[in-house]
Amino acid sequence: MSAQSQKNLQQYVLRLADNALIIGQRLSEWCGHAPALEEDIATANTALDLIGQARNWFAYASELDTDGRSEDQLALLRDERDYLNVLLVEQPNGDYGNTLMRQFIFDIWHFYLLEGLTRSADATISAIAEKSIKEVNYHVSRSSDLIIRLGNGTEESHGKLQEALNNLWRYSGELTLSDALDDEMLALGIGADLSGVERKFQAAITRGFHEASLVAPKIGYMQRGGKTGVHSESMGRLLAEMQVMQRSHPNLTW
Amino acid sequence: MYAQMVKATGKGVKTREQMDENERHFQDRIDNDIKIEAKDWMPEGYRKTLKRQISQHAHSEIVGQLPEGNWITRAPTLERKTILLAKVQDEAGHGLYLYCAAETLGISRDEMTEQLLSGKAKYSSIFNYPTLTWADMGAIGWLVDGAAIMNQVPLQYCSYGPYARAMVRICKEESFHQRQGFDIMNVLAKGSEAQKAMAQDALNRWWWPALMMFGPSDADSVHSAQSFAWNIKQNSNDELRQKFVDQTVPQAEFLGLNVPDSDLKWNDKKNGYDFGAINWDEFFAVIAGDGPCNKERLGARQKAWNDGAWFREALIVNAEKRAACKQAAE
Ligand SMILES: [Fe+2]
Ligand SMILES: [Fe+2]
């Protein structure tokens, strides 16, 4: 593999790693504060799955790293502009309805993305995708179920979910928007076909919203930038918190 | 302990002669190590005391999520993050088992939650102390889970079946937690000067509150005598505290850390350590609500409960709608 293609492959893997890590980090903020004990447990479970998946992706990204950085150095010591997650996952939790809506949109997309990656020509990627998709399948059924129940619950719960959807939908476009790196990885048989992911994502999410009695708002312009490291303002604070130990005590064992 | 100063109701232990037939039969079962189950007859005092003890234990697990939850987002490595997250999740699970065990005695989880949030029910004093550094995650696992195990292990054999069975599941996980906490301390103690100092500072701050967890001396208490007779308490507070000190001091030595007690020394005669006086004024202040974090801990639980009201209500309403639809379709 040429140095450039190895770097590109690593960038692609880091996108996957960062998505799982950052949404896992956000979910873990709920620990001890969820609306019911069962939700505390379930949210921690999802966060654990996703951070576990992130670790697998980071381990591979570390193998591909020409500077020999470890899993933790990659996960916890890059500058903000080098994080490549989509904007959706870094959005602040808001209320529990907002968190669930963010999760629902993410889970459905994540599932179809991983489904594509199980067919990757890169054996490590397909193996990690294969392993992850079982967990994500469960995430989808959990978040769909809750969205449908809350959408058809009280007027208040319906209102909260609709508001969350209005707030978050503008981050959905980036999920399936291909750029040069996606195209290159697709051409090599490594990456997922995002146009195929988009078709399935749209069909499933439209069905979900319909069942939940929710309507996706019309968005004039979908937000984008996370995949190339241009994030929302809240990302800096998320990283400041997540990185504080590694930044203030570098090069130690914990 | 996770259930501190639970006062058994009743005016001292009855003699066999003072017992009526039900009470005698009940006491015989306990004395013969036959578990009491939810549907069995039991004295009101037993029921009331257990409700208090188990719910207080459950509340401690729930509030106990908060001091450690405080560091999940800041854990120094991804592996430590997942271990800590899983640990705090375990504690929520412990709360759930224990609420279920208490429910078998005829009190709902919502009622117990109301009692916690109104300040009527207590939880362990230890969770009202702040977690200031990463080393506190080590100290809590090592000392706090370690102290909890001391009285939870015998509770696996207590007389009330649902409580005993909950304890069996919980104890397995608690000993994991203790080992993980010790491992955090061990890495720090072998680490840089700054890490060692962090570990020592955490031990300094957590040692005495950990000893207070066992509660004041209760050897002569009427309440304890009743709890002993009912086999819902097996050791006096002082016995457990001594056991904890004897077990923990050598571990601190292994780590190369100093236990912050100048009176601590080995006593050959009692085959255990002598240790300094505990500041019970501090303990009673914390129990009364004046610890460093009582307001924050209870405030966080109240906020979670109040902010989540719409969510819980919506799920109930939705379940009713579904049931109605199903009925209409039949
Ligand atoms: Fe526990
Ligand atoms: Fe524990």
Side-chain angles (χ1 to χ4, degrees):
Chain A
M1 209 186 311
S2 78
Q4 188 56 46
S5 36
Q6 181 170 336
K7 194 166 184 324
N8 291 353
L9 175 58
Q10 189 201 29
Q11 294 288 102
Y12 190 75
V13 173
L14 280 173
R15 286 180 176 179
L16 298 164
D18 290 340
N19 285 331
L21 174 63
I22 300 300
I23 199 163
Q25 172 79 3
R26 279 291 187 218
L27 285 177
S28 71
E29 293 172 14
W30 275 106
C31 203
H33 306 279
L37 198 41
E38 287 80 354
E39 293 303 309
D40 261 322
I41 294 172
T43 299
N45 230 9
T46 308
L48 275 170
D49 285 346
L50 289 166
I51 297 171
Q53 292 172 18
R55 290 187 64 194
N56 291 328
W57 294 123
F58 278 119
Y60 189 34
S62 167
E63 265 177 52
L64 295 167
D65 196 62
T66 44
D67 300 323
R69 285 173 294 178
S70 68
E71 165 193 326
D72 285 319
Q73 284 170 327
L74 286 170
L76 300 172
L77 273 174
R78 278 173 297 152
D79 288 330
E80 179 176 330
R81 290 286 277 105
D82 298 325
Y83 280 80
L84 304 176
N85 54 279
V86 291
L87 297 173
L88 177 72
V89 298
E90 72 203 35
Q91 296 312 307
N93 286 339
D95 67 18
Y96 203 66
N98 193 74
T99 296
L100 285 172
M101 181 57 71
R102 185 186 65 202
Q103 198 62 33
F104 176 59
I105 298 170
F106 176 77
D107 288 342
I108 293 200
W109 168 68
H110 196 202
F111 179 85
Y112 292 116
L113 178 69
L114 289 173
E115 188 187 61
L117 292 174
T118 58
R119 295 187 290 271
S120 174
D122 182 299
T124 311
I125 290 182
S126 65
I128 298 174
E130 195 77 59
K131 214 172 149 232
S132 306
I133 201 167
K134 294 190 190 100
E135 294 168 346
V136 173
N137 189 27
Y138 177 73
H139 301 168
V140 168
S141 61
R142 188 183 123 73
S143 57
S144 312
D145 178 60
L146 279 172
I147 291 291
I148 291 167
R149 288 205 277 162
L150 294 170
N152 299 298
T154 60
E155 209 172 299
E156 187 182 9
S157 70
H158 178 266
K160 277 187 189 291
L161 286 200
Q162 184 61 54
E163 192 189 319
L165 177 53
N166 294 346
N167 171 31
L168 292 169
W169 191 239
R170 62 202 162 117
Y171 301 109
S172 68
E174 187 186 26
L175 304 178
T176 51
L177 188 71
S178 306
D179 63 5
L181 180 59
D182 290 308
D183 293 341
E184 184 197 336
M185 290 299 134
L186 179 61
L188 291 169
I190 294 172
D193 170 17
L194 286 182
S195 60
V197 172
E198 180 173 16
R199 261 195 317 279
K200 292 178 187 170
F201 167 75
Q202 289 295 348
I205 207 137
T206 305
R207 207 165 47 236
F209 289 151
H210 177 74
E211 278 189 64
S213 314
L214 299 169
V215 185
K218 296 248 175 311
I219 302 289
Y221 182 81
M222 286 286 183
Q223 297 302 308
R224 61 185 68 171
K227 287 167 76 165
T228 51
V230 180
H231 292 280
S232 339
E233 288 184 345
S234 59
M235 182 69 168
R237 278 179 212 97
L238 180 149
L239 291 180
E241 187 173 348
M242 187 170 80
Q243 297 185 334
V244 63
M245 292 298 294
Q246 288 284 346
R247 293 269 180 215
S248 50
H249 307 272
N251 303 318
L252 296 178
T253 307
W254 298 94
Chain B
M1 207 29 59
Y2 279 19
Q4 283 161 333
M5 302 176 66
V6 174
K7 291 200 164 59
T9 50
K11 303 177 179 65
V13 185
K14 287 186 183 174
T15 62
R16 282 191 74 79
E17 289 68 40
Q18 291 166 322
M19 291 179 183
D20 67 23
E21 206 185 308
N22 274 336
E23 288 170 330
R24 245 191 319 264
H25 178 68
F26 175 82
Q27 191 63 47
D28 285 344
R29 291 187 58 171
I30 288 179
D31 296 343
N32 289 310
D33 257 339
I34 300 169
K35 293 269 179 274
I36 308 300
E37 297 298 337
K39 290 201 172 69
D40 295 336
W41 185 89
M42 60 186 82
E44 261 326 289
Y46 178 84
R47 183 186 297 277
K48 228 171 142 181
T49 306
L50 266 182
K51 266 189 208 169
R52 227 180 280 164
Q53 182 171 338
I54 301 174
S55 66
Q56 201 183 110
H57 192 158
H59 298 327
S60 297
E61 303 283 357
I62 299 308
V63 177
Q65 294 180 89
L66 299 171
E68 290 175 288
N70 185 34
W71 276 89
I72 293 171
T73 55
R74 291 179 288 172
T77 68
L78 292 190
E79 187 183 12
R80 290 291 182 201
K81 191 191 287 290
T82 52
I83 292 173
L84 184 61
L85 185 52
K87 191 223 180 208
V88 178
Q89 187 196 29
D90 283 349
E91 306 301 1
H94 297 172
L96 197 56
Y97 305 157
L98 287 163
Y99 282 131
C100 291
E103 280 183 321
T104 64
L105 293 160
I107 181 169
S108 72
R109 202 207 298 181
D110 280 359
E111 281 174 81
M112 290 184 266
T113 303
E114 290 300 329
Q115 291 174 354
L116 171 68
L117 299 184
S118 71
K120 189 179 160 221
K122 301 290 179 210
Y123 56 88
S124 178
S125 54
I126 193 77
F127 300 120
N128 292 311
Y129 289 85
T131 52
L132 303 178
T133 70
W134 171 251
D136 290 13
M137 300 304 100
I140 290 182
W142 173 36
L143 302 175
V144 175
D145 289 76
I149 291 168
M150 286 288 154
N151 101 316
Q152 292 179 3
V153 165
L155 281 174
Q156 295 179 100
Y157 308 99
C158 77
S159 61
Y160 190 54
Y163 192 25
R165 289 188 290 272
M167 274 308 143
V168 173
R169 299 173 70 176
I170 290 173
C171 278
K172 276 193 203 124
E173 292 175 352
E174 298 297 11
S175 50
F176 263 121
H177 298 166
Q178 200 214 2
R179 261 176 282 163
Q180 287 160 352
F182 187 78
D183 184 61
I184 291 176
M185 292 304 266
N186 196 24
V187 171
L188 295 176
K190 293 192 167 70
S192 71
E193 282 311 312
Q195 284 176 309
K196 266 181 240 174
M198 201 189 278
Q200 181 63 55
D201 172 60
L203 176 57
N204 293 348
R205 284 181 290 109
W206 290 94
W207 175 255
W208 290 106
L211 294 196
M212 290 176 204
M213 282 175 71
F214 297 92
S217 182
D218 64 351
D220 307 320
S221 136
V222 224
H223 299 293
S224 301
Q226 181 62 77
S227 291
F228 284 127
W230 281 335
N231 191 21
I232 51 178
K233 181 178 174 79
Q234 293 94 337
N235 306 92
S236 76
N237 294 347
D238 287 331
E239 260 176 316
L240 290 173
R241 185 168 19 245
Q242 183 68 50
K243 217 173 145 194
F244 175 75
V245 171
D246 292 345
Q247 174 189 290
T248 310
V249 170
Q251 294 171 347
E253 279 166 6
F254 174 89
L255 293 172
L257 299 176
N258 300 314
V259 174
D261 178 358
S262 53
D263 295 326
L264 186 79
K265 63 170 185 296
W266 178 256
N267 179 336
D268 250 338
K269 246 191 277 163
K270 76 172 187 190
N271 199 30
Y273 286 91
D274 289 331
F275 50 93
I278 290 169
N279 181 355
W280 291 112
D281 290 345
E282 176 180 321
F283 173 80
F284 287 113
V286 174
I287 286 282
D290 292 326
C293 296
N294 296 58
K295 272 204 161 53
E296 288 82 351
R297 300 295 183 241
L298 210 50
R301 291 311 305 162
Q302 284 161 343
K303 185 174 186 323
W305 186 250
N306 295 337
D307 289 356
W310 70 271
F311 173 88
R312 297 188 304 274
E313 191 202 340
L315 291 190
I316 293 168
V317 169
N318 177 261
E320 286 164 0
K321 283 186 190 169
R322 285 186 184 202
C325 279
K326 217 177 137 199
Q327 221 170 27
E330 271 164 10

